[in-house]
Amino acid sequence: MSELLKTQEIIYSKGNAIKVYTDKDIASAYVAERIAKIIKGKQSTGERAVIGLATGSTPKGVYKELVRLHKDEGLSFRNVSTFNLDEYYPILPIDDQSYVSFMKNNLFNHIDIDSDYVHIPDGTLSIEGIQAYCDLYEQKIVDFGGLDIQLLGIGRTGHIGFNEPGAVSDSRTRLVTLNDITREDAKDDFGGKEKVPTQAITMGVQTITQAKEVILMALSSRKAEIIKKALEGEVSADIPATFLQRLSNVEYILDSEAASLLSK
Ligand code: GLP
C-alpha cells in the first residue's frame, strides 16, 4: 500500500477500527484499493468478486478512483458481480434520480463490467410482485456465494441502505417507507420534497450484515452527530447502523469532520 493510502489516525470504539482521514480523497482511495484487492484476489483464482454497492454523495470518490484504476492501471471488472443496496419506489431506471442512473453515471458506464452481472432493485414493479422479486434478489446474492464486501453510507436518520429507524436486525430485502428526514435530504435531487418517492426497495439489515466484510463511510460535518450515535450509542432498531457494532468484520472510514464528536 502506498504512502498516500496510509491511515491518518485509528480510533477503537467497542472493538471496531475507525479510520479517520483528514483528506476525503485519501479515504476514498483507501476504500477503492480495498475493493480492487478483492477483485484481483478473485481474478487470481478464477472466481467472481461479489460487491455490494451504495449510492449517495459519499461513495462518489470511491467510484471515481475505481474508474481511474480501470483506465490508468488496467483494473478489470469482467469477473465482478454487483448488488446495489437500494432503489426508490416507484421510479423508472431512466429517471435522472434513479440509482440505476447514478450507478451508470458514476461507475458502470466507465468500466468493463458485464451488465448481466449488475443488480439494482427494480423500481418499476407492480406492488403485488415486489416481495417475490425481493426474495429472488436475496437468493441471487446467495447463488453468487454471498457478498464479499458491502459498501455503506449512512443517512442522517441512522439508516443503512434504506433501513430506516424501526428496521430490525433480521430484516431482508423488502419495500419500505422512507423517513421524513431522508426525503428532506433528497429534495434537491428531485426538485422538491413532495417529488421524492415515499417508498423504496432496500436490502435488509440482515442482508447487509451477512456480507463477508462491511465498510461504512461517512464524510463531512453533516454526519458527525449520527456517527457518534451509530458508533457509540446503544444497539437499537432506532438507529439501524448500530447493528454494525455487533460485527467483527466492519471498518468505519471517516473524515475528521464526521469523526469530530467521537470520544477518543
Ligand atoms: C441515501 C442512500 C443511502 C446513503 C444515504 C446518504 O439515502 N440510500 O444508502 O447512505 O443516501 O447519502 P449521502 O452519502 O449523500 O449523504
Side-chain angles (χ1 to χ4, degrees):
M1 189 148 293
S2 72
E3 198 61 22
L4 195 67
L5 296 187
K6 274 191 184 159
T7 300
Q8 302 298 298
E9 187 187 359
I10 303 184
I11 308 174
Y12 287 92
S13 172
K14 301 196 174 185
N16 293 310
I18 303 163
K19 298 191 174 172
V20 183
Y21 293 81
T22 45
D23 183 327
K24 293 184 199 342
D25 292 342
I26 297 179
S28 300
Y30 169 77
V31 174
E33 190 70 27
R34 285 274 310 268
I35 294 172
K37 211 170 157 197
I38 292 173
I39 295 172
K40 287 185 210 161
K42 293 285 179 178
Q43 276 163 2
S44 69
T45 53
E47 293 172 280
R48 300 198 69 79
V50 187
I51 314 284
L53 298 174
T55 50
S57 56
T58 309
K60 278 188 179 173
V62 175
Y63 298 147
K64 200 171 157 204
E65 176 63 9
L66 286 172
V67 170
R68 193 196 67 75
L69 289 173
H70 171 66
K71 291 201 172 15
D72 296 352
E73 297 185 23
L75 176 68
S76 173
F77 292 78
R78 298 304 294 178
N79 71 320
V80 176
S81 305
T82 63
F83 286 88
N84 263 79
L85 281 168
D86 48 16
E87 178 60 286
Y88 290 107
Y89 180 84
I91 202 158
L92 294 173
I94 54 162
D95 286 349
D96 288 345
Q97 303 84 358
S98 79
Y99 287 163
V100 171
S101 295
F102 176 97
M103 289 309 305
K104 283 186 175 168
N105 295 336
N106 287 283
L107 185 64
F108 298 145
N109 283 353
H110 314 289
I111 57 174
D112 62 345
I113 195 162
D114 181 341
S115 58
D116 287 351
Y117 291 94
V118 165
H119 306 88
I120 302 179
D122 183 353
T124 69
L125 299 165
S126 69
I127 207 90
E128 306 77 47
I130 290 182
Q131 198 46 55
Y133 172 87
C134 291
D135 294 345
L136 195 63
Y137 201 77
E138 291 277 338
Q139 190 54 48
K140 278 190 190 156
I141 295 174
V142 173
D143 291 347
F144 275 99
L147 298 163
D148 291 310
I149 192 164
Q150 177 63 56
L151 182 57
L152 298 173
I154 183 169
R156 283 196 305 138
T157 59
H159 72 214
I160 45 175
F162 271 135
N163 291 285
E164 297 284 20
V168 291
S169 61
D170 62 355
S171 52
R172 305 190 71 83
T173 305
R174 67 206 185 286
L175 182 68
V176 294
T177 298
L178 295 178
N179 186 286
D180 207 53
I181 296 173
T182 300
R183 293 185 63 235
E184 179 72 31
D185 282 349
K187 74 175 181 210
D188 289 347
D189 290 340
F190 284 86
K193 185 174 164 193
E194 70 290 347
K195 295 187 186 145
V196 181
T198 56
Q199 291 180 296
I201 296 173
T202 183
M203 281 186 196
V205 175
Q206 190 172 80
T207 327
I208 293 167
T209 54
Q210 277 176 345
K212 289 165 199 147
E213 294 177 49
V214 175
I215 290 190
L216 183 140
M217 288 184 83
L219 308 173
S220 93
S221 55
R222 223 164 48 88
K223 299 292 168 71
E225 258 178 62
I226 194 62
I227 279 296
K228 183 171 180 63
K229 289 181 188 159
L231 274 63
E232 296 180 350
E234 288 299 308
V235 176
S236 148
D238 292 344
I239 298 183
T242 58
F243 290 124
L244 301 177
Q245 288 179 24
R246 293 178 177 161
L247 306 181
S248 55
N249 54 349
V250 61
E251 193 168 66
Y252 299 96
I253 305 297
L254 312 178
D255 68 356
S256 316
E257 291 181 11
S260 59
L261 298 178
L262 292 176
S263 341
K264 299 220 169 134

